[in-house]
Amino acid sequence: MRQAELIAQAGKIVDVAGKDAPLTVRGLTVSYGNKPAVFSVDASIPAGSMTAIIGPNGAGKSTFLKGTLGVVPRLSGEVRIFGKPFHEARDRVAYVPQRASVDWDFPARVIDVVLMGLYGSVGLFRMWRARHRQQAMACLDRVGMADFADRQIGQLSGGQQQRVFLARALAQNAEFYLLDEPFAGVDAATERAIVTVLKDLKAEGRTVVCVHHDLSTVNEYFDRVLLINVRRIAEGPVETTFTAEHLQETYGGRLAETHINDLRLA
Amino acid sequence: MINDLITALGAEFVQLSLTPILIGVLAAIACALPGNFLLLRRQALIGDAISHVVLPGIVAAFLVTGTISAIPMMLGAGAAAIVAVVMIEVVKRLGRVEPGAAMGLVFTTLFAAGVLLLEMTDTSSVHIDVQHALLGNLESLIWFDAEGWSSLLDPQALATLPPQLPRLAIVLVGIMLFIGLFWKELKISTFDAAFAGAIGIRTGILGFALVVCTAIAAVAAFDAVGSIIVIAMFVCPPASARLMTNQLGRQVAWSVLFATISAILGYVFAGYGPGWFGSPYAVSAAGMIATISGIIMLLTCLFGPQRKRTGQQAEA
């Protein structure tokens, strides 16, 4: 495993994660207009891992997630989820978009949003039923939001909204969780609650990938990193890949030397 | 005034007012239903755009076919609606302008083109004019063969109902079926399009189907009630309803109620209201219906229970 990672870091693409890995990406390119947001990125996420996607603003981290899920059209590249095209493995994946990407003034209660995560188990032309509500309540309980089930979503704080999004993903009961900046703009209590849930998911053998901004918590929360700045810079275990050298390459001059020295790097 | 109401609900009412009121209510609901989703998707102007471009559509259809029968008119209006939606996309992408501006640009241009087309060609012999396009002819949709409430059970009398009535009823049933069957999908994709795409909802097709529903409602309602009501009903009842509740299902129900109240009160006030103030003239029903929907909007802005939503967010 270690040897394979080293080979991968040398620039040769190796399936460290195996053929049926939660995510294998080859040469993913996504473009808005003429400028590619993500250019020829490779990645392979092994089962049971917890990976942080790291890079500066506008580096294409969110676009990488959306590109793998086909939410934005791919210009080129191959994406395999558990060894299959995404549309064949959809039920095994839960995606949490950025909190700020939706209008929280939408007329819905907390429970309504969590019920959306059970869409796949309701069936076409049918409505959510009592057992779906029970499942949704259990998921809200896991993120400590059960008391807020009937609250209008616009009345929640940023951290509470993020927990509701996580509860919706838990309702999907997936094997592979992709979260876009779950810790952005949340309070400390929410951050702890989310980390606990994500670590529980990992302990259950599920796979977690987060777009992550706070370099100071990478060591504590994650076991792998994927560094992106339009292109892939590096991917691998935190101990070997989360290095000053790779961070300089990813962030260019934007990351001060002193900042890097403060991080507990490999 | 009480006596007015009693005679108003007799045989004469069935003949003169029942069908216009029913048509007004059906048209208002048919527009308000998709309007709920347009509003939440910040696409409310789409309804406005489509109802304006109906005018050049029907003028063009008249010039091509030489008749003003319903089928070519509706086809022309439908074609114009499609042209408008395509043009809005083109302007948005090539001109790199925001969606609202693109819609505003396209529908005013096409409406103006329709007015010019109307004035430059000889359509004076037929009943197409700008006034008709804006206000419709709700008051003229009377039921000649009706002799009282019993006519509702008389097949012969029913056969002479204004054709707009069954047409709008069919359109309304179609829209209700679309919204009812795809309720979950519409709700999820309107709230969170990226999540909807990831769980396998075809958001592109669904959004297009919603616009098609809007176009069908606009075209069918336009023929009967004119574009002022159509534009008002796409926006006012849903916007008022949003201020009454924080649940989508209840919002849709409130919007149907507000659309119905607007249509009934608007028609009654337009027809009988001026008489209560001693004026012998009735005013335009379409204008009054739209005005009532605006008054309801104002009242919900002032007194709606959910009017203070924004700015209330507590940061924990």
Side-chain angles (χ1 to χ4, degrees):
Chain A
M1 174 74 184
R2 176 54 57 86
Q3 196 181 2
E5 288 279 4
L6 288 174
I7 295 169
Q9 280 173 40
K12 291 170 194 155
I13 307 311
V14 174
D15 250 331
V16 287
K19 194 166 99 7
D20 295 331
L23 179 64
T24 316
V25 178
R26 291 273 172 279
L28 178 67
T29 301
V30 179
S31 174
Y32 299 124
N34 295 326
K35 197 166 164 273
V38 168
F39 185 75
S40 193
V41 168
D42 299 316
S44 69
I45 308 288
S49 66
M50 212 163 143
T51 304
I53 302 181
I54 295 167
N57 289 329
K61 306 180 296 291
S62 297
T63 307
F64 172 78
L65 280 197
K66 289 181 190 163
T68 60
L69 301 177
V71 174
V72 294
R74 294 196 279 267
L75 215 57
S76 64
E78 192 191 10
V79 174
R80 283 279 181 272
I81 308 261
F82 296 108
K84 295 181 184 131
F86 175 58
H87 64 88
E88 285 175 31
R90 212 187 283 283
D91 296 347
R92 300 166 73 178
V93 177
Y95 167 56
V96 180
Q98 278 182 28
R99 180 169 58 84
S101 68
V102 306
D103 176 11
W104 289 89
D105 194 32
F106 189 84
R109 297 162 302 170
V110 166
I111 186 91
D112 297 325
V113 173
V114 181
L115 283 169
M116 293 179 187
L118 293 162
Y119 171 77
S121 65
V122 177
L124 200 61
F125 306 148
R126 309 194 70 162
M127 278 298 173
W128 291 283
R129 288 179 293 275
R131 77 181 155 86
H132 298 116
R133 272 168 216 289
Q134 283 168 10
Q135 281 172 271
M137 283 306 293
C139 297
L140 274 176
D141 196 38
R142 259 183 100 174
V143 298
M145 289 289 291
D147 293 340
F148 293 82
D150 290 323
R151 193 73 76 84
Q152 146 72 13
I153 52 173
Q155 293 166 354
L156 303 176
S157 72
Q160 290 167 334
Q161 289 172 346
Q162 190 66 58
R163 288 197 229 181
V164 173
F165 258 17
L166 182 59
R168 180 177 70 177
L170 291 175
Q172 291 178 266
N173 192 23
E175 294 162 57
F176 181 28
Y177 285 80
L178 295 133
L179 299 90
D180 199 343
E181 303 218 14
F183 304 113
V186 305
D187 53 288
T190 295
E191 180 151 345
R192 277 195 302 277
I194 293 175
V195 169
T196 306
V197 170
L198 295 183
K199 290 198 165 173
D200 286 349
L201 289 174
K202 179 180 146 68
E204 292 162 15
R206 303 176 206 246
T207 311
V208 178
V209 170
C210 293
V211 171
H212 191 59
H213 249 305
D214 183 2
L215 297 177
S216 66
T217 52
V218 169
N219 260 304
E220 195 184 330
Y221 297 168
F222 298 95
D223 53 22
R224 295 179 80 258
V225 286
L226 169 60
L227 295 146
I228 293 182
N229 191 344
V230 184
R231 295 161 185 272
R232 187 192 79 146
I233 307 295
E235 182 189 5
V238 169
E239 310 88 71
T240 54
T241 313
F242 191 56
T243 61
E245 191 189 336
H246 285 146
L247 283 173
Q248 279 296 9
E249 204 185 330
T250 309
Y251 286 84
R254 275 172 282 193
L255 205 63
E257 202 77 34
T258 49
H259 189 169
I260 290 186
N261 290 338
D262 288 344
L263 299 173
R264 285 172 291 143
L265 298 173
Chain B
M1 189 171 142
I2 302 291
N3 286 337
D4 281 355
L5 279 179
I6 290 168
T7 45
L9 291 174
E12 202 186 319
F13 170 82
V14 177
Q15 195 178 35
L16 296 180
S17 298
L18 181 65
T19 44
I21 288 178
L22 280 178
I23 288 168
V25 168
L26 292 178
I29 297 175
C31 294
L33 281 177
N36 280 289
F37 294 96
L38 296 178
L39 190 79
L40 294 169
R41 287 165 177 245
R42 309 206 180 287
Q43 289 182 333
L45 268 178
I46 274 272
D48 205 340
I50 288 172
S51 46
H52 273 86
V53 302
V54 162
L55 177 69
I58 60 172
V59 176
F62 170 73
L63 292 176
V64 170
T65 63
T67 69
I68 52 161
S69 57
I71 302 293
M73 293 287 112
M74 297 193 96
L75 287 178
I82 294 168
V83 168
V85 169
V86 171
M87 275 177 74
I88 289 168
E89 276 304 307
V90 169
V91 171
K92 217 158 59 180
R93 288 189 189 171
L94 294 186
R96 297 184 181 233
V97 294
E98 54 138 339
M103 288 178 213
L105 189 85
V106 168
F107 78 69
T108 47
T109 308
L110 285 178
F111 186 74
V115 173
L116 285 180
L117 201 59
L118 201 59
E119 289 184 340
M120 285 163 60
T121 54
D122 183 27
T123 48
S124 51
S125 58
V126 293
H127 191 55
I128 308 180
D129 54 53
V130 176
Q131 162 108 4
H132 179 201
L134 288 176
L135 298 175
N137 58 345
L138 193 53
E139 295 89 339
S140 71
L141 298 174
I142 53 178
W143 189 9
F144 284 112
D145 287 15
E147 285 157 0
W149 290 99
S150 58
S151 296
L152 283 174
L153 300 172
D154 176 3
Q156 261 187 318
L158 284 175
T160 63
L161 277 173
Q164 285 87 350
L165 187 61
R167 205 182 294 148
L168 269 169
I170 290 168
V171 165
L172 180 58
V173 168
I175 290 172
M176 285 166 72
L177 276 178
F178 169 69
I179 291 178
L181 290 177
F182 295 101
W183 177 261
K184 295 193 304 293
E185 289 79 4
L186 281 167
K187 181 176 181 176
I188 297 173
S189 66
T190 300
F191 172 61
D192 189 346
F195 175 79
I199 60 173
I201 293 172
R202 308 286 290 271
T203 52
I205 294 174
L206 198 64
F208 181 72
L210 182 63
V211 171
V212 169
C213 259
T214 305
I216 292 172
V219 171
F222 168 85
D223 175 41
V225 299
S227 54
I228 284 186
I229 293 192
V230 174
I231 294 164
M233 289 306 143
F234 275 129
V235 180
C236 287
S240 306
R242 179 65 191 89
L243 300 172
M244 297 302 295
T245 171
N246 276 325
Q247 288 178 51
L248 183 59
R250 291 182 188 178
Q251 179 189 316
V252 171
W254 274 107
S255 74
V256 169
L257 180 69
F258 287 150
T260 308
I261 292 174
S262 303
I264 294 175
L265 281 188
Y267 185 86
V268 170
F269 285 170
Y272 303 96
W276 299 336
F277 297 100
S279 164
Y281 307 108
V283 297
S284 145
M288 187 58 88
I289 291 171
T291 305
I292 297 283
S293 73
I295 291 172
I296 292 175
M297 179 77 227
L298 180 69
L299 290 175
T300 53
C301 282
L302 292 174
F303 306 112
Q306 304 303 334
R307 70 192 188 284
K308 283 186 187 160
R309 301 184 313 277
T310 44
Q312 248 186 1
Q313 297 194 9
E315 283 303 323

